[in-house]
Amino acid sequence: MRMRMMQLHQLPEDVLYHITALLDCRSLCRLSLVCRSLSRFVSRDSVWKKVAVQLLNSGVDGSGTDIYPHIPLKDRVRIALNWYGGICKKTIALKWKLKLLPWLQLDGDTLFLSQASDIKAYRLHKVSRRLQPRPFDVYSGQQGDVCCFTLMDSHLISGGSDGKILVHSRTSDASMELCGHTQEVNCLDSKDQLIISGSRDQTVGIWTLMSISRRDTIALCDRVWSVAISPTKRSFVTGTACCQNYSPLRLWDVERLACVCSLGSEFRRGAGVLDIVFESPFQLLTCGYDTFIRLWDLRLCPRKCVMEWEEPHDSTLYCIQTDRNHMIASGSSHYGVLRLWDKRQTSCLQSFQLSSDHVSSPVYSLRLDSSHLYAALASSLHSLDFKTCSQNNLLQMYQLNML
């Protein structure tokens, strides 16, 4: 009996899935060029997920969760290769005359930027992600400069240099003032109804959104530079200036307000922690004056640093962000230097200098999405576009030999 030969595109889908699961990025791109039928099949997100989880900022985190399900995964893989290769278009999105300490938050298609005593909300184009030049909303009311702010679904909470904490409604003009600190509010974080604030007055405030009065206060005997609430909302971490004889990094229980543990014991004096980012309920990243990015694992006993990356020019690290998988972005204190790190490597992957040799400014705050990185310097807002350079970049990917 003569057997009928079956072409590749005629195979059952479950067989094709088994085949594509064995292919790397280069082979998948080649397979998509064979015919229209295979091109449509290879364009499915399920085909690219295994490849995407190995790349930088592809939108698939370490647990396999898709952070940007509305963007085709194949397109995000192309952009992820640009992140890895440092291929981007740099632009100055905004400039202002005075030197400030701006802060950023990104919420979908809206970028929030603090400038002096105001927080301005700017639209981002849904496709190009280009910043609209004029803000569509302004949150004001602080008597001093805004030092930091955090976003909730319905509210924006800001902390000022005068110690005041304001809660602004994002759906109306209403706002209310919380009984704040006696000195400037250096840091804020919020999840659901919980708000944590830290101040130069050496205290941490614990608030609930629906209550004007402070729920609790923790005295730390040191200036508080950073706070972060765990995704579980059962604990939070504080970072202090490290001017006293104890670790600047401590984990606290929300309900008991008791210190669960101190993280690390080898911080040199003055090595304050300026930014804290939770990767997961069990892992967090920190950075600060000692020029290191550190990854802490809270599941270990004792809880300890499991990896660290050193800023190559011995600069203070003001801020960090993560794609919740392999990539870390950091902003340093000299010449507006941004760096991209692959956590699987010990050295810096890519570096971008945003300010000139004559005008040096730290990167005070940064935020990222699937295709752009936004960085706030003393007198300008910079945008790094990794998407524009990815158009028709199949040949480019071959030339870079990154597939």
Side-chain angles (χ1 to χ4, degrees):
M1 182 176 178
R2 186 176 180 181
M3 296 182 64
R4 184 173 65 90
M5 298 296 293
M6 185 177 290
Q7 296 184 8
L8 182 61
H9 69 275
Q10 296 173 324
L11 292 173
E13 286 193 354
D14 57 340
V15 176
L16 281 175
Y17 276 121
H18 280 294
I19 293 173
T20 55
L22 302 173
L23 302 181
D24 59 13
C25 192
R26 181 194 292 268
S27 300
L28 286 173
C29 290
R30 286 174 170 171
L31 183 61
S32 68
L33 300 176
V34 171
C35 65
R36 291 182 181 178
S37 176
L38 285 175
S39 178
R40 287 193 293 270
F41 180 82
V42 171
S43 295
R44 298 179 183 180
D45 282 2
S46 52
V47 172
W48 288 93
K49 195 167 186 179
K50 182 180 177 182
V51 171
V53 77
Q54 301 298 322
L55 300 176
L56 300 186
N57 202 26
S58 64
V60 181
D61 67 16
S63 65
T65 302
D66 197 338
I67 305 171
Y68 311 109
H70 59 288
I71 306 174
L73 199 51
K74 184 178 180 181
D75 293 341
R76 281 182 275 150
V77 166
R78 291 181 180 140
I79 299 170
L81 293 169
N82 286 341
W83 284 90
Y84 187 89
I87 302 168
C88 65
K89 180 181 179 181
K90 294 189 289 184
T91 58
I92 299 177
L94 290 173
K95 276 188 173 183
W96 49 91
K97 294 182 179 180
L98 298 177
K99 288 190 176 182
L100 306 172
L101 276 72
W103 190 256
L104 289 175
Q105 292 288 357
L106 182 62
D107 184 20
D109 296 330
T110 304
L111 184 71
F112 296 85
L113 170 68
S114 67
Q115 293 175 293
S117 60
D118 295 330
I119 301 170
K120 299 178 180 180
Y122 295 86
R123 296 282 189 204
L124 296 172
H125 191 277
K126 288 189 176 182
V127 178
S128 68
R129 307 299 289 173
R130 185 174 298 169
L131 190 80
Q132 300 299 315
R134 294 184 180 276
F136 71 90
D137 205 352
V138 177
Y139 301 86
S140 56
Q142 292 283 0
Q143 298 301 312
D145 288 352
V146 175
C147 297
C148 58
F149 64 93
T150 182
L151 297 177
M152 306 179 83
D153 290 338
S154 58
H155 292 81
L156 183 152
I157 301 100
S158 65
S161 58
D162 56 359
K164 291 183 179 179
I165 297 176
L166 297 183
V167 179
H168 307 267
S169 172
R170 294 178 61 180
T171 57
S172 69
D173 294 332
S175 65
M176 66 178 180
E177 181 181 329
L178 301 182
C179 299
H181 296 267
T182 59
Q183 296 185 47
E184 67 185 57
V185 182
N186 292 320
C187 49
L188 282 167
D189 197 14
S190 62
K191 283 196 171 44
D192 291 342
Q193 296 290 310
L194 179 65
I195 304 169
I196 307 288
S197 64
S199 171
R200 181 182 284 271
D201 67 6
Q202 304 183 357
T203 65
V204 171
I206 297 91
W207 323 77
T208 53
L209 182 60
M210 304 309 295
S211 174
I212 298 179
S213 60
R214 191 186 312 203
R215 196 187 93 181
D216 288 294
T217 302
I218 301 174
L220 293 186
C221 303
D222 205 353
R223 290 166 292 173
V224 185
W225 290 135
S226 54
V227 295
I229 302 172
S230 167
T232 65
K233 299 180 287 293
R234 293 195 295 266
S235 62
F236 65 93
V237 178
T238 58
T240 58
C242 199
C243 294
Q244 304 297 326
N245 295 321
Y246 53 77
S247 171
L249 201 57
R250 290 194 278 180
L251 178 68
W252 302 83
D253 184 275
V254 169
E255 293 301 324
R256 296 184 293 113
L257 296 183
C259 180
V260 177
C261 68
S262 295
L263 302 178
S265 59
E266 299 180 357
F267 289 92
R268 67 174 184 267
R269 191 173 182 84
V273 177
L274 294 177
D275 201 5
I276 304 169
V277 176
F278 269 94
E279 283 262 76
S280 72
F282 311 107
Q283 291 184 315
L284 69 149
L285 291 160
T286 63
C287 71
Y289 285 111
D290 66 350
T291 76
F292 280 92
I293 302 172
R294 290 187 170 91
L295 175 64
W296 304 85
D297 195 326
L298 304 182
R299 294 168 296 186
L300 301 178
C301 188
R303 299 168 177 87
K304 63 180 181 179
C305 174
V306 292
M307 290 189 71
E308 60 183 29
W309 301 266
E310 185 176 10
E311 213 287 331
H313 292 165
D314 199 33
S315 298
T316 296
L317 294 172
Y318 273 71
C319 52
I320 49 176
Q321 285 287 284
T322 171
D323 68 348
R324 289 162 43 185
N325 194 13
H326 299 304
M327 190 185 80
I328 305 169
S330 66
S332 64
S333 60
H334 295 312
Y335 301 110
V337 173
L338 280 173
R339 299 192 193 278
L340 300 183
W341 307 78
D342 187 334
K343 290 195 294 187
R344 297 163 295 188
Q345 303 177 17
T346 56
S347 58
C348 171
L349 182 65
Q350 300 294 340
S351 180
F352 309 92
Q353 182 177 324
L354 302 183
S355 61
S356 66
D357 293 337
H358 304 291
V359 182
S360 177
S361 166
V363 178
Y364 288 111
S365 181
L366 62 88
R367 292 293 182 269
L368 58 88
D369 58 20
S370 64
S371 59
H372 286 68
L373 193 154
Y374 304 95
L377 276 64
S379 57
S380 56
L381 173 68
H382 294 251
S383 170
L384 274 64
D385 179 1
F386 293 86
K387 182 179 181 179
T388 302
C389 300
S390 68
Q391 302 299 320
N392 301 318
N393 72 343
L394 185 59
L395 176 61
Q396 178 190 64
M397 290 190 289
Y398 284 127
Q399 292 172 340
L400 289 173
N401 196 29
M402 296 192 309
L403 296 178

